[in-house]
Amino acid sequence: MTRKLHLNAFLMGVGHHEAAWRHPQTEPARLTDVRHYQELARIAERGKLDSVFLADGVALHGNVRHNALGGLEPLTLLSALAAVTDHIGLIATVSTTYNEPFHVARKFASLDHISGGRAGWNIVTSAGEAEARNFGVVRPSHADRYARAAEFLEVTRKLWDSWEDDAILGDRVAGYYADTGKIHPIEHAGEHFSVSGPLNTSRSPQGHPLLVQAGSSEDGKEFAARYAEAVFTAQQTLTEGQEFYADLKRRLAAYGRRHEDVLILPGISPIIGSTEREALRLEKELEDLIIPAYGLAQLAHMTGIELTEDALDGPLPDVPVETEGAQSRRKLVVDLARRENLTVRQLLNRLAGGRGHRVVAGTPEQIADQLQEWFVAGAADGFNIMPPILPGGLSDFVDHVVPELQIRGLFRYEYEGRTLRENYGLPRPPSRYAAGRAARREVAVAR
Amino acid sequence: MTRKLHLNAFLMGVGHHEAAWRHPQTEPARLTDVRHYQELARIAERGKLDSVFLADGVALHGNVRHNALGGLEPLTLLSALAAVTDHIGLIATVSTTYNEPFHVARKFASLDHISGGRAGWNIVTSAGEAEARNFGVVRPSHADRYARAAEFLEVTRKLWDSWEDDAILGDRVAGYYADTGKIHPIEHAGEHFSVSGPLNTSRSPQGHPLLVQAGSSEDGKEFAARYAEAVFTAQQTLTEGQEFYADLKRRLAAYGRRHEDVLILPGISPIIGSTEREALRLEKELEDLIIPAYGLAQLAHMTGIELTEDALDGPLPDVPVETEGAQSRRKLVVDLARRENLTVRQLLNRLAGGRGHRVVAGTPEQIADQLQEWFVAGAADGFNIMPPILPGGLSDFVDHVVPELQIRGLFRYEYEGRTLRENYGLPRPPSRYAAGRAARREVAVAR
């Protein structure tokens, strides 16, 4: 079987470009309209994409004065998308810092049941100060957040395993619904959590939801190497993409994992035209709608660099770029400005499309060339597609780029699997408790 | 306008009778099948019912060896039901003891957007010991749980109000998405919670979801009088129902609320037959499927009274029935056994149908008589319908009892409102922040 690439549609309001809501082809009033997202999910499914994905934070981030913010909570929304689709994977962002593992395990198990095995969890640790203030705590350090996240994952995985696959007997004649010997308290007692279990939702079609991660710091990459099955990442150049890809794959062995156990999906915002000129015109239209005050606020949020409008036509001031802790996005932004010798205004224009993700304008063939280049050159197992405007940017991708990828033999014509894991080519994890009993039985036999 | 009654369908797996899963008319494998619940919601909507409701706990309650337990998380499920219905209200149980108000406010705001204004929240405080052990805490006292619940409500209501109704401008030409003067930090700092806000989901169609409560203790009744807009309650006799109804309505004035601001909906499990004989046969079929060991475990869970199978054919032993704290269900059960002089086995049979809720077997007309009697005699504003088996028990109610109620002028023929609040005849709450500004403006004018 030839290696095929995997495609995820990253859904964000009416588009990833920060001025999307001002573009005449979008309808910002649809930000809280479930039919908008149902339409997007159906378009992605028409294109045989692996999954749709919703980012999230637990505070009102960004300046709502100048952008369409304040949309829907991802898990709640994805359940409504599950109801109108059959194949597309459904990936929700949920924080490990401000949640309890019992609730999170249960909601993903429920979404996995509801969708017939299509749930995925993008695990984030919530770096923001505003988020901490919505939960009455002092913002924990980067290291503390990742330590909590690791234990959180241990607990949720135990809870998902707490019902073995064959625990339900359903013997109505004898009156036995379940074999309670196959439903296990987890009795987890750790530094951050103490959870008895078992879960009160039975084991779901995928066993565990697909585990996704997007941190690019040292802690983030180690966490991904240990737990993640798909990684979303922002990489501006092919060389950086190759380095990240090789680095992350190299870390897997330490956790007993294989190269193919993790898919790496760099983000890309494709600005598509039937001609290159048309694509560049759309890019220019969006650029003309950018509000500098909004871009400066975003820059400050992403990098901590606070500037006023007076600074727009000068270069980015000198700032330290040490990648300590959560600063990986800051380094990417500063590197971009220096490498291309950008003024602050030019930098804001470059960030407006994808908040640091790569933006590529061109014909469907040119976009496909870019995807193919990264895929073949060891920088990607697939891509996180971030359409500049929605739904138009997604339907353009599905109707024009996907067929080009198919004809090149790079992408599927039909869904091959039944679950998200199967479409991503990833195994279904066994229940650790079932494995434990099998092992004990083997020991008993050997004696 | 004549007073009409309100009907809520209380959905529970394959039926409320504890032996429902063993009855040949149910399919216990549908416990985690979203299509089962979608079918139930559509049936309820066909009958013009006000709402469907899902109970919940955050631990595996009951003995799964002998009953179909381990279903889906309500909020996740209701969102999938919203996607396939247009009118029916969607009420989810969520605990205030093991959650954070920011998450809960946001999820209900999202469900309210997704459903077009049909979300309701059944507020519970999670009395169980097993629940505390899933969150690593010592079970809080009854009083502490209710104190936390009250502050939790204050915070969620502030968050729902944090975006005023007209905060979104959507002015794409000038580049103003929102009037940030109408999006308010809440800066709540209290004993249990410290939450800055604003919410990161805009104000939803109903403003606040419908608030529902079901505690019958002193604290529970005070909480309901202060916050609830609909109350679910278990009452065995008309006299008890009238007393509870009058008691709760009397408490409203202290909170500046009117008689009609709260609807009281006693639970009833209708066992329906085309003839009385047929109804009694169905009741007997279910009774014959009861597993005494399960019933004894339920009795212990509900009342704290622990008995063995040796006790089945004797009377209920003497136990104290002081209604302190969470003991209201214990009092109901002991009163029932003494009033009717039941053996333990007879008591278990009586509890098997509705865990202490009233069970009535009869023809559609006989069921309608019962509902009418309570409605007219000041014991109910409507009912929480708990079908013994699902979906059959619900479709029987909708197809045979509802038309009888309609012809008697007691129930609507069509939905009159657009939202759950409108169908329940309850007002849409204004944003407190908008009211504050209007008041300040008046003061300024008066000066």
Side-chain angles (χ1 to χ4, degrees):
Chain A
M1 205 182 81
T2 345
R3 179 170 166 253
K4 293 280 199 305
L5 57 78
H6 295 276
L7 295 172
N8 173 71
F10 183 172
L11 308 184
M12 178 165 283
V14 294
H16 279 272
H17 196 286
E18 67 186 36
W21 74 277
R22 300 187 66 194
H23 193 274
Q25 280 172 42
T26 68
E27 293 176 59
R30 302 188 76 189
L31 187 75
T32 50
D33 183 347
V34 67
R35 291 165 299 186
H36 172 63
Y37 300 94
Q38 290 174 332
E39 181 186 344
L40 296 176
R42 286 199 188 102
I43 292 169
E45 190 166 89
R46 186 174 86 214
K48 317 298 176 195
L49 269 55
D50 293 77
S51 45
V52 296
F53 157 59
L54 294 163
D56 197 47
V58 281
L60 185 63
H61 286 131
N63 185 355
V64 65
R65 188 175 175 82
H66 296 306
N67 200 356
L69 306 172
L72 304 167
E73 190 277 324
L75 269 172
T76 317
L77 176 54
L78 288 181
S79 187
L81 304 192
V84 300
T85 52
D86 294 311
H87 302 285
I88 192 94
L90 305 161
I91 303 176
T93 298
V94 173
S95 168
T96 53
T97 301
Y98 303 114
N99 275 295
E100 289 288 334
F102 193 89
H103 290 312
V104 173
R106 186 145 177 255
K107 285 186 158 63
F108 276 106
S110 295
L111 180 62
D112 204 47
H113 275 297
I114 287 169
S115 62
R118 296 186 281 138
W121 173 19
N122 177 41
I123 305 155
V124 298
T125 66
S126 305
E129 182 63 51
E131 298 183 298
R133 285 198 303 268
N134 284 332
F135 297 90
V137 297
V138 175
R139 182 172 63 151
S141 74
H142 192 75
D144 285 351
R145 293 202 311 276
Y146 272 95
R148 180 183 163 106
E151 192 182 334
F152 198 110
L153 260 283
E154 297 297 339
V155 178
T156 53
R157 300 203 302 181
K158 287 177 186 174
L159 287 168
W160 290 319
D161 287 347
S162 64
W163 291 56
E164 294 184 36
D165 284 316
D166 55 354
I168 297 174
L169 305 169
D171 183 346
R172 42 217 290 180
V173 176
Y176 294 108
Y177 179 73
D179 177 350
T180 48
K182 293 183 176 177
I183 300 176
H184 306 270
I186 68 166
E187 301 302 356
H188 176 93
E191 197 182 331
H192 301 84
F193 304 107
S194 170
V195 180
S196 288
L199 200 60
N200 57 346
T201 294
S202 63
R203 193 158 153 92
S204 71
Q206 293 188 111
H208 303 180
L210 182 81
L211 299 178
V212 182
Q213 208 266 352
S216 292
S217 66
E218 271 304 302
D219 284 340
K221 284 188 279 196
E222 278 304 303
F223 186 89
R226 187 167 169 190
Y227 295 111
E229 299 169 300
V231 171
F232 298 150
T233 181
Q235 303 295 333
Q236 282 285 335
T237 67
L238 178 60
T239 308
E240 286 167 353
Q242 289 168 320
E243 282 167 9
F244 178 86
Y245 186 96
D247 179 16
L248 190 59
K249 297 271 182 176
R250 198 161 40 227
R251 293 170 194 250
L252 295 171
Y255 300 101
R257 305 182 70 200
R258 299 164 311 163
H259 188 278
E260 60 268 35
D261 289 343
V262 180
L263 302 176
I264 297 176
L265 310 176
I268 180 168
S269 180
I271 302 186
I272 304 167
S274 351
T275 62
E276 189 176 334
R277 193 181 165 88
E278 195 178 284
L280 293 172
R281 191 167 64 226
L282 173 58
E283 185 170 42
K284 179 70 164 54
E285 282 170 11
L286 286 164
E287 210 168 280
D288 287 346
L289 295 170
I290 290 173
I291 297 164
Y294 183 84
L296 291 170
Q298 282 291 98
L299 183 69
H301 177 66
M302 277 166 54
T303 66
I305 304 169
E306 306 216 0
L307 300 174
T308 64
E309 299 203 22
D310 299 339
L312 283 171
D313 296 307
L316 192 69
D318 268 344
V319 288
V321 294
E322 270 312 298
T323 310
E324 63 82 17
Q327 298 298 309
S328 51
R329 190 60 63 94
R330 176 184 182 129
K331 180 171 182 337
L332 180 149
V333 170
V334 175
D335 286 354
L336 170 66
R338 292 192 184 156
R339 188 173 58 239
E340 305 192 14
N341 205 19
L342 303 174
T343 65
V344 171
R345 189 188 302 275
Q346 288 168 328
L347 177 64
L348 296 188
N349 287 351
R350 291 294 294 275
L351 297 178
R355 301 173 308 285
H357 285 272
R358 198 158 61 114
V359 179
V360 176
T363 63
E365 296 73 22
Q366 289 173 321
I367 306 286
D369 289 347
Q370 288 288 321
L371 301 182
Q372 182 164 13
E373 182 184 27
W374 282 50
F375 180 60
V376 171
D381 297 310
F383 297 91
N384 193 17
I385 306 300
M386 303 165 59
I389 55 173
L390 288 167
L394 182 60
S395 55
D396 282 349
F397 184 85
V398 158
D399 295 336
H400 303 291
V401 181
V402 164
E404 182 62 29
L405 295 171
Q406 287 169 329
I407 216 145
R408 296 184 192 187
L410 295 169
F411 193 60
R412 68 170 73 87
Y413 280 94
E414 289 301 334
Y415 287 105
E416 285 135 26
R418 196 180 47 90
T419 67
L420 174 56
R421 284 185 173 278
E422 287 172 6
N423 284 320
Y424 268 117
L426 295 165
R428 181 179 190 275
S431 164
R432 71 188 62 201
Y433 300 104
R437 200 178 43 250
R440 282 194 302 278
R441 203 156 45 219
E442 275 169 38
V443 170
V445 169
R447 277 179 187 154
Chain B
M1 205 181 83
T2 345
R3 179 170 166 253
K4 293 279 200 305
L5 57 79
H6 296 276
L7 295 173
N8 173 71
F10 183 172
L11 308 184
M12 177 164 284
V14 294
H16 279 272
H17 197 286
E18 67 185 37
W21 73 277
R22 301 187 66 193
H23 193 273
Q25 281 173 39
T26 68
E27 294 176 58
R30 301 188 76 189
L31 187 76
T32 49
D33 183 347
V34 67
R35 292 166 298 187
H36 172 62
Y37 300 94
Q38 290 174 332
E39 181 186 344
L40 296 176
R42 286 200 188 101
I43 292 169
E45 190 165 90
R46 186 174 86 214
K48 318 299 177 195
L49 269 55
D50 293 79
S51 44
V52 296
F53 157 60
L54 293 163
D56 198 47
V58 281
L60 185 63
H61 286 130
N63 185 355
V64 64
R65 187 175 174 84
H66 295 307
N67 201 356
L69 306 171
L72 303 168
E73 191 277 324
L75 270 172
T76 317
L77 176 54
L78 287 181
S79 187
L81 304 192
V84 300
T85 53
D86 295 311
H87 302 285
I88 192 94
L90 304 161
I91 304 175
T93 298
V94 174
S95 168
T96 54
T97 300
Y98 303 114
N99 275 297
E100 289 288 333
F102 193 89
H103 290 312
V104 172
R106 186 146 178 255
K107 285 185 159 64
F108 276 106
S110 295
L111 180 62
D112 204 45
H113 276 297
I114 288 169
S115 62
R118 297 186 280 137
W121 173 19
N122 177 41
I123 305 155
V124 298
T125 66
S126 305
E129 182 63 52
E131 298 182 299
R133 284 199 304 268
N134 285 333
F135 297 90
V137 298
V138 175
R139 182 172 62 152
S141 73
H142 192 74
D144 285 352
R145 292 201 313 274
Y146 271 96
R148 179 183 165 107
E151 191 182 335
F152 198 110
L153 261 283
E154 296 297 339
V155 178
T156 53
R157 299 202 304 182
K158 287 178 186 173
L159 287 168
W160 290 319
D161 286 347
S162 64
W163 291 56
E164 293 184 35
D165 283 316
D166 56 354
I168 296 174
L169 305 168
D171 183 345
R172 41 216 292 181
V173 176
Y176 293 108
Y177 179 72
D179 177 350
T180 48
K182 294 183 176 176
I183 300 176
H184 305 271
I186 68 166
E187 302 300 357
H188 176 92
E191 197 182 331
H192 301 85
F193 305 107
S194 170
V195 180
S196 289
L199 200 60
N200 57 346
T201 294
S202 63
R203 194 158 153 92
S204 72
Q206 293 188 110
H208 302 180
L210 182 81
L211 299 178
V212 183
Q213 208 265 353
S216 292
S217 66
E218 270 304 302
D219 285 339
K221 284 188 280 195
E222 277 306 301
F223 186 89
R226 188 167 170 190
Y227 295 110
E229 298 168 301
V231 171
F232 297 151
T233 180
Q235 303 295 333
Q236 282 285 334
T237 68
L238 178 61
T239 308
E240 286 167 353
Q242 288 168 321
E243 282 168 9
F244 178 86
Y245 187 97
D247 178 16
L248 191 59
K249 298 272 182 174
R250 197 161 41 226
R251 294 171 193 248
L252 295 171
Y255 301 101
R257 305 181 71 201
R258 299 164 310 163
H259 187 278
E260 60 269 35
D261 289 343
V262 180
L263 303 176
I264 297 176
L265 310 176
I268 181 168
S269 180
I271 302 186
I272 305 166
S274 349
T275 62
E276 189 177 335
R277 193 181 165 86
E278 194 178 285
L280 294 173
R281 191 167 63 226
L282 174 58
E283 185 170 42
K284 178 71 164 53
E285 282 170 10
L286 286 163
E287 209 168 282
D288 287 346
L289 295 171
I290 291 173
I291 296 163
Y294 183 84
L296 290 170
Q298 281 291 98
L299 183 69
H301 177 66
M302 277 166 54
T303 65
I305 304 169
E306 307 215 1
L307 300 174
T308 63
E309 299 203 24
D310 297 340
L312 283 171
D313 295 307
L316 192 69
D318 269 344
V319 289
V321 294
E322 269 311 298
T323 311
E324 62 83 18
Q327 299 297 308
S328 51
R329 190 61 63 93
R330 176 184 182 130
K331 179 171 182 338
L332 180 148
V333 169
V334 174
D335 284 354
L336 170 66
R338 291 190 185 158
R339 188 172 59 241
E340 305 192 15
N341 204 18
L342 304 173
T343 65
V344 170
R345 188 188 304 275
Q346 288 168 328
L347 177 64
L348 297 187
N349 287 351
R350 290 294 295 276
L351 297 177
R355 302 173 307 285
H357 287 272
R358 198 158 60 113
V359 178
V360 177
T363 63
E365 295 73 23
Q366 288 173 322
I367 306 285
D369 289 347
Q370 288 287 321
L371 302 183
Q372 182 164 11
E373 182 185 27
W374 282 50
F375 181 60
V376 171
D381 296 310
F383 297 90
N384 194 17
I385 306 299
M386 304 165 59
I389 54 173
L390 288 167
L394 182 60
S395 54
D396 281 348
F397 184 84
V398 158
D399 295 336
H400 303 291
V401 181
V402 165
E404 182 61 30
L405 295 170
Q406 287 168 329
I407 215 144
R408 295 185 192 186
L410 294 170
F411 192 61
R412 69 170 71 88
Y413 281 94
E414 289 301 336
Y415 287 105
E416 286 134 27
R418 195 181 47 91
T419 66
L420 174 55
R421 284 186 174 280
E422 287 172 7
N423 284 320
Y424 268 117
L426 294 165
R428 181 178 190 277
S431 163
R432 72 188 61 201
Y433 300 104
R437 202 180 42 252
R440 283 193 301 278
R441 203 157 43 219
E442 275 170 37
V443 170
V445 169
R447 277 178 190 157

